[in-house]
């Protein structure tokens, strides 16, 4: 199922993952600062062990889960996904993790749960960006339930076969490859099942620039820059841009948005 | 004021052309770093920001010359032209990296200038600085006379546009662009402080 879907998307252009150095030295993780190299510099201070995830809201199995309890019994697999940042750059990442839908199914969402919300850890003493309040913390994100249950969505716990580096959102993060990178919330400490559309950090900060859905869409430009093309990280000073694909190339998610005007629900 | 005297006499020994050489070497060094991996895995954006930041720093340095002379008794007048021309050089380098290495096609450059307000504003600052760079030679200073001083006040709106351009391009609320905008605002406001009038010389009786 899932693997073959991911496979079909990636088969289009035989994705070549970026080297580990690219993936771990060019990050947006504002808890550690706004510079791309800040997460690499400061994330080692983040406390990730023990790690506990609060599950609450409209579900059958709320409670405090350790990382092991949350992922227990579920299949870990490698998924090589394109990762497209809203800032118009991209890379290819070989994630390791589990299907988000499998985890959510285990937590037993009630029928009234229409959305799932996520929250990132806040550790002021370990996070210089949090102390400077560069954006509101904790960082929060959310998905509509059918988006969250889509087999392409995953919770990643590693990359390149190693445990998730801290700057990439250790120990567990969301990966939603057809959406801009900021939807793929890092270092998750809370999963909530809710009825109403939950708040999402960048959408709160600037709703004109960042919609709740934030699907990769070359036709809907960011007010300050075009989304028609992207620069692949790691190509050097003279690398050329490549065209951005609708849903970041993962066209199998299109049915989720069939009846929606994606210029309104951007 | 022994300290300022020392500063001034030391500065007198530094030739103004040193600014051009230092500016060029600094820009070339960063370009070299970008070529050889020294600016990280995405050198285009880093280089673009580096040149832009240096440009705004030099614009600030140029704007600081007059207040420093007036209130701190530090005389940097002989460097002002070199500071200004080097600032323009970095604005040009910033523009070139953006247009040639970042955006890459002329049609998109043009579309961005028209459609993206922060780019329009940055472009406005660039355009305002062109006549200043073009008239930075001695011949123009002589030919334009008092008009030269008037013309070169275009650096004030250019600095304001540059500050807005910087604030507008960031995500979230980092301090840096606001600090630069604040410094520019102070340096421009200082120019509004009226100069003390010299007492008019007592009239002599004409007998």
């Amino acid at each position: 199922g899932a693997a073959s879907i991911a496979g079909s998307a990636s088969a289009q252009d035989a994705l070549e993952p970026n080297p580990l150095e690219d993936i771990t030295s060019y990050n947006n993780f504002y808890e550690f600062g706004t510079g791309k190299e800040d997460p690499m510099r400061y994330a080692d201070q983040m406390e990730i062990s023990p790690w506990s995830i609060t599950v609450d809201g409209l579900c059958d199995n709320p409670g405090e889960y350790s990382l092991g309890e949350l992922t227990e019994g579920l299949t870990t697999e490698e998924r090589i996904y394109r990762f497209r940042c809203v800032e118009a750059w991209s890379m290819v990442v070989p994630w390791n993790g589990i299907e988000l839908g499998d985890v959510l199914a285990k937590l037993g969402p009630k029928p009234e749960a229409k959305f799932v919300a996520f929250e990132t850890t806040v550790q002021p003493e370990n996070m210089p960006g949090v102390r400077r309040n560069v954006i509101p913390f904790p960082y929060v994100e959310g998905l509509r339930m059918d988006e969250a249950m889509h087999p392409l969505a995953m919770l990643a716990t590693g990359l390149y076969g190693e445990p998730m580096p801290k700057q990439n959102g250790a120990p567990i993060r969301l990966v939603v490859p057809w959406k801009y990178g900021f939807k793929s919330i890092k270092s998750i400490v809370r999963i909530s099942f809710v009825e109403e559309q939950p708040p999402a950090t960048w959408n709160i900060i600037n709703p004109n620039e960042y919609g709740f859905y934030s699907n990769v869409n070359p036709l809907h430009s960011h007010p300050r820059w075009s989304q028609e093309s992207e620069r692949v990280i790691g190509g050097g000073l003279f690398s050329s841009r490549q065209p951005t694909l609708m849903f970041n190339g993962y066209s199998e998610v299109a049915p989720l948005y069939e009846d929606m005007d994606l210029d309104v629900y951007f | 004021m022994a300290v300022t005297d020392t500063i001034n006499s030391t500065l007198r020994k530094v030739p103004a052309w040193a600014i051009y050489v230092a500016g060029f070497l600094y820009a070339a060094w960063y370009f070299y770093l970008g070529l050889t991996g020294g600016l990280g895995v995405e050198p285009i954006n880093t280089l673009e920001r580096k040149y832009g930041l240096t440009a705004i720093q030099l614009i600030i340095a140029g704007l600081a010359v007059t207040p420093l002379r007036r209130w701190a008794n530090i005389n940097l007048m002989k460097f002002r032209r070199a500071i200004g021309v080097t600032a323009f050089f970095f604005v040009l380098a910033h523009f070139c990296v953006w247009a040639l290495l970042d955006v890459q096609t002329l049609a998109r450059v043009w579309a961005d200038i028209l459609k993206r307000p922060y780019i329009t504003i940055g472009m406005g600052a660039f355009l305002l600085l062109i006549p200043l760079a073009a008239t930075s030679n001695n011949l123009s200073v002589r030919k334009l006379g008092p008009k030269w001083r008037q013309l070169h006040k275009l650096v004030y709106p250019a600095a304001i546009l540059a500050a807005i351009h910087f604030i507008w391009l960031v995500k979230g609320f980092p301090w840096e662009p606001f600090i630069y905008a604040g410094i520019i605002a102070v340096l421009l406001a200082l120019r509004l402080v009226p100069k003390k009038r010299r007492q008019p010389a007592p009239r002599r009786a004409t007998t």
Side-chain angles (χ1 to χ4, degrees):
Chain A
S4 63
I5 288 170
S8 75
S10 54
Q12 293 162 14
D13 51 5
L15 292 178
E16 179 70 36
N18 279 70
L20 186 65
E21 191 208 342
D22 293 359
I23 299 169
T24 54
S25 69
Y26 196 76
N27 307 103
N28 282 321
F29 197 164
Y30 278 26
E31 281 79 348
F32 297 104
T34 53
K36 292 287 184 292
E37 293 177 355
D38 287 342
M40 172 181 64
R41 275 190 206 114
Y42 303 118
D44 63 317
Q45 300 163 18
M46 180 167 63
E47 196 62 64
I48 58 164
S49 172
W51 192 263
S52 149
I53 297 146
T54 305
V55 174
D56 57 14
L58 305 165
C59 67
D60 298 330
N61 307 310
E64 298 280 319
Y65 289 78
S66 73
L67 191 61
E69 288 163 351
L70 196 73
T71 59
E72 201 182 358
L74 302 176
T75 321
T76 300
E77 49 184 316
E78 182 183 66
R79 303 258 185 105
I80 300 173
Y81 280 154
R82 276 183 289 271
F83 182 93
R84 169 58 156 83
C85 179
V86 74
E87 296 164 345
W89 53 264
S90 69
M91 46 174 89
V92 175
V93 186
W95 303 107
N96 308 103
I98 47 190
E99 238 178 77
L100 175 62
D102 289 348
V103 177
L104 299 188
K106 188 165 142 178
L107 302 174
K110 292 195 158 71
E112 314 89 88
K114 297 286 181 266
F115 294 88
V116 57
F118 303 89
E119 193 178 303
T120 297
T121 184
V122 182
Q123 303 177 11
E125 66 281 12
N126 303 330
M127 296 175 149
V130 169
R131 292 197 295 270
R132 273 184 279 132
N133 270 313
V134 289
I135 54 171
F137 296 108
Y139 192 88
V140 291
E141 260 304 341
L143 296 171
R144 211 171 57 193
M145 193 55 77
D146 60 338
E147 297 180 311
M149 297 305 290
H150 194 280
L152 282 181
M154 71 186 292
L155 285 173
T157 51
L159 53 87
Y160 269 114
E162 298 290 329
M164 187 66 74
K166 288 184 177 178
Q167 60 265 45
N168 295 89
I172 186 164
R173 65 168 292 168
L174 185 65
V175 177
V176 194
W178 69 93
K179 291 175 180 284
Y180 292 122
F182 66 85
K183 292 293 290 183
S184 293
I185 183 170
K186 299 187 179 84
S187 303
I188 296 169
V189 290
R190 183 185 293 271
I191 300 175
S192 308
F193 295 92
V194 294
E195 198 167 354
E196 305 289 328
Q197 181 178 301
T201 294
W202 282 104
N203 181 238
I204 301 169
I205 296 171
N206 197 336
N208 296 321
E209 297 191 345
Y210 312 101
F212 175 79
Y213 288 93
S214 287
N215 293 315
V216 175
N217 183 351
L219 304 176
H220 185 88
S221 80
H222 185 284
R224 289 184 284 158
W225 56 82
S226 164
Q227 296 291 24
E228 285 167 22
S229 65
E230 65 205 44
R231 185 182 347 280
V232 181
I233 298 300
L237 207 48
F238 302 110
S239 70
S240 54
R241 303 179 80 94
Q242 72 175 30
T244 289
L245 304 171
M246 186 68 203
F247 299 120
N248 203 21
Y250 300 98
S251 50
E252 57 267 54
V253 301
L256 294 172
Y257 310 103
E258 237 164 19
D259 306 320
M260 291 169 66
D261 180 346
L262 295 180
D263 257 330
V264 178
Y265 299 97
F266 59 87
Chain B
M1 292 293 271
V3 182
T4 51
D5 285 349
T6 316
I7 292 173
N8 287 332
S9 65
T10 311
L11 286 173
R12 262 196 295 278
K13 289 175 205 143
V14 181
W17 56 258
I19 305 238
Y20 296 114
V21 174
F24 179 79
L25 289 177
Y26 188 70
W29 169 243
Y30 270 90
F31 193 83
Y32 170 78
L33 285 180
L35 278 178
T36 53
L39 297 184
V41 296
E42 213 292 66
I44 299 171
N45 194 264
T46 310
L47 194 66
E48 192 175 308
R49 281 167 183 263
K50 187 70 200 172
Y51 286 167
L53 191 67
T54 309
I56 204 167
Q57 285 163 346
L58 286 167
I59 288 171
I60 286 174
L63 288 175
V65 170
T66 300
L68 278 176
R69 191 169 62 153
R70 193 173 159 195
W71 279 286
N73 202 28
I74 294 170
N75 190 350
L76 295 167
M77 272 317 274
K78 86 169 193 195
F79 300 106
R80 194 168 68 171
R81 179 196 326 213
I83 292 170
V85 172
T86 309
F88 181 77
F89 166 69
F90 274 93
V91 173
L92 186 65
H94 174 64
F95 171 80
C96 287
V97 172
W98 171 73
L100 302 176
L101 300 183
D102 187 348
V103 183
Q104 297 177 353
T105 62
L106 200 63
R108 272 205 304 254
V109 165
W110 187 237
D112 272 358
I113 289 169
L114 296 181
K115 272 171 76 176
R116 319 278 168 212
Y118 85 97
I119 292 174
T120 315
I121 283 173
M123 201 60 206
F126 179 39
L127 291 177
L128 287 174
L129 292 174
I130 290 173
L132 310 199
T135 58
S136 61
N137 50 72
N138 287 335
L139 183 68
S140 301
V141 177
R142 273 201 304 275
K143 271 199 151 178
L144 290 167
K147 279 189 211 142
W148 188 91
R149 285 179 62 105
Q150 286 302 314
L151 177 69
H152 279 246
K153 284 185 178 162
L154 282 179
V155 73
Y156 303 163
I160 293 169
L161 292 180
I164 297 171
H165 171 69
F166 191 13
I167 288 174
W168 208 330
L169 68 87
V170 294
K171 276 167 66 197
F173 306 101
W175 296 350
E176 210 182 8
F178 293 96
I179 291 170
Y180 280 93
I183 294 171
I184 287 170
V186 168
L187 289 174
L188 294 184
L190 284 176
R191 287 165 162 78
L192 301 174
V193 178
K195 288 183 186 133
K196 278 185 209 138
R197 285 253 185 90
R198 262 186 234 145
Q199 290 295 323
R203 270 194 199 168
R204 276 186 207 156
T206 47
T207 45

